Amino acid sequence: MAATAAASNNGSTFAGSSAVELSAWLEGHGVDTAMYGQDTARTIADLFEEIANAESILSVHGSGASSRALRMVNVLNLYIKNSAGQVLIEAAQRLPDGRLRQRGLPLSEKMIGQEEWQTAAVRAVSEELATALPQDWRQQVGRQTTGACRNSDVCLQGSTTL
């Protein structure tokens, strides 16, 4: 996995090929990396993997003392409703190292590169919910909000936050 990037209009974009290079890039742009991996914070390696997978971009905006390193992410929020109109909420997330991260939000997924929201929705349900659904579950992806779901369907209503 190699992170690639180019210069942006407002500054440089991270283009390193390892978590070590990312850590140096962040520190070189004034980001204190001491808290990465502490409590529920992700590690530098997690952030590098996200960048390498085209789930986010790190850029420097501004110049001099006013410059800032910014993480840009395109997130899909899924409002999965049952026939009573109740929305599925993700209470918590178990991180790979066993830590528990409180969420209290609708299911959300980082979009990959220029991925369409429908593709991200299918991927999100497959990755996050497939083990909790009946074997014969199927997805119905669309913007319809009334009467489209039957008991065995998973209806997804997508919206991206920009």
Side-chain angles (χ1 to χ4, degrees):
M1 259 187 273
T4 59
S8 70
N9 290 339
N10 297 324
S12 66
T13 301
F14 174 71
S17 59
S18 72
V20 171
E21 289 181 24
L22 173 58
S23 183
W25 187 91
L26 289 167
E27 290 171 6
H29 290 93
V31 177
D32 179 3
T33 60
M35 298 305 291
Y36 281 77
Q38 303 298 315
D39 297 321
T40 60
R42 297 174 336 147
T43 65
I44 295 287
D46 292 335
L47 180 57
F48 176 74
E49 183 177 346
E50 177 182 291
I51 294 164
N53 290 333
E55 294 175 342
S56 71
I57 297 170
L58 288 181
S59 292
V60 174
H61 290 262
S63 61
S66 65
S67 70
R68 298 182 57 146
L70 297 175
R71 173 178 167 249
M72 295 172 282
V73 182
N74 197 11
V75 177
L76 175 78
N77 293 309
L78 298 176
Y79 295 87
I80 301 174
K81 296 181 180 183
N82 65 13
S83 59
Q86 297 170 312
V87 176
L88 179 67
I89 299 295
E90 181 181 18
Q93 176 185 28
R94 177 79 53 196
L95 301 174
D97 63 5
R99 293 177 293 157
L100 191 64
R101 178 179 170 208
Q102 298 300 317
R103 301 279 292 163
L105 301 167
L107 181 64
S108 60
E109 188 72 23
K110 289 181 294 245
M111 296 173 69
I112 298 171
Q114 298 299 313
E115 181 177 42
E116 296 289 328
W117 74 264
Q118 295 91 338
T119 304
V122 170
R123 184 170 51 79
V125 170
S126 296
E127 289 176 3
E128 305 296 334
L129 300 176
T131 59
L133 297 171
Q135 278 190 320
D136 63 346
W137 73 276
R138 64 189 179 107
Q139 296 180 80
Q140 180 178 357
V141 180
R143 293 186 182 271
Q144 206 162 357
T145 59
T146 59
C149 292
R150 292 189 295 273
N151 291 340
S152 62
D153 294 341
V154 175
C155 293
L156 306 178
Q157 296 171 304
S159 64
T160 55
T161 57
L162 304 173

